[in-house]
Amino acid sequence: MGLSNRQYDILREVVAEARAAQRDQGARAAGQLIDRRVRQACADGYRDGGPSRGPWQS
């Protein structure tokens, strides 16, 4: 997919949360959750500006 380890972990966590939100609250709630959680997780995870253990690992 072209994602770093950190990005892939974020993706997996958010997809799991979004599936539960879609089941319980509908597609719109799932979409809003995805937008909010991905933005926050990426901002937190990449606050330092890049990978922490080399160019292809994070």
Side-chain angles (χ1 to χ4, degrees):
M1 281 189 265
L3 302 175
S4 70
N5 291 341
R6 192 181 324 180
Q7 291 168 331
Y8 188 66
D9 288 342
I10 292 168
L11 173 67
R12 288 189 346 214
E13 290 172 16
V14 172
V15 166
E17 291 176 26
R19 285 181 178 151
Q22 183 176 13
R23 183 182 60 243
D24 298 340
Q25 301 168 339
R28 185 170 186 197
Q32 292 171 342
L33 180 139
I34 289 168
D35 186 49
R36 184 178 62 250
R37 287 283 290 123
V38 168
R39 287 178 190 272
Q40 187 61 49
C42 288
D44 292 346
Y46 288 93
R47 187 179 333 238
D48 61 357
S52 59
R53 292 175 286 170
W56 300 105
Q57 302 172 342
S58 60

